[in-house]
Amino acid sequence: QVQLVESGGGLVQAGGSLRLSCVASGGTISNYAMAWFRQAPGKEREFVGTTSRSGGFTRYADSVKGRFIISRDNAENTVYLQMNSLKPEDTAVYYCAGRYITTGTRADEYTYWGQGTQVTVSS
């Protein structure tokens, strides 16, 4: 059973940057497509981005394209989300998720989830 633990969230001013980390245990993430989702208060969980097992393919939501970068270090069983040029509308709890083999953009496609880390962007 794969367990995912996110870290790196916090409070940042608009225009700033944060890097989130997601460390996996109980399995090797090289078998899994990994993704980041976020959920703001009163809103549904939304797709942020995903990376293939090798990291050679990435896909992003239009709202973060050009600002966020997903990367992974399979040797360290870790996935990252580099967030730049942050906006107040990026405020949300960010979740790491894993899915066997193939990438996806829907939350219901992912099997493994972390507990989330809060990101707050002040204006």
Side-chain angles (χ1 to χ4, degrees), residues 29-89:
I29 65 167
S30 61
N31 293 325
Y32 299 91
M34 301 297 294
W36 289 92
F37 288 80
R38 67 186 182 186
Q39 189 166 18
K43 295 188 176 181
E44 292 190 355
R45 194 167 296 190
E46 67 170 352
F47 171 75
V48 173
T50 185
T51 177
S52 61
R53 287 180 294 158
S54 69
F57 170 80
T58 54
R59 180 176 177 179
Y60 300 94
D62 288 344
S63 58
V64 306
K65 200 174 296 182
R67 300 188 297 122
F68 290 12
I69 300 171
I70 294 177
S71 61
R72 63 192 295 162
D73 184 338
N74 286 344
E76 295 294 327
N77 251 14
T78 303
V79 181
Y80 302 98
L81 180 66
Q82 177 67 44
M83 304 185 295
N84 301 318
S85 301
L86 282 161
K87 304 175 181 180
E89 51 263 45

Side-chain angles (χ1 to χ4, degrees), residues 8 11-20 67-68 81-86 119 121:
L11 174 64
V12 64
Q13 288 189 329
S17 298
L18 280 176
R19 189 176 82 154
L20 307 184
R67 300 188 297 122
F68 290 12
L81 180 66
Q82 177 67 44
M83 304 185 295
N84 301 318
S85 301
L86 282 161
V119 172
V121 184

Side-chain angles (χ1 to χ4, degrees), residues 90-104:
D90 294 318
T91 295
V93 177
Y94 283 71
Y95 297 90
C96 174
R99 178 177 189 237
Y100 191 61
I101 302 298
T102 57
T103 60

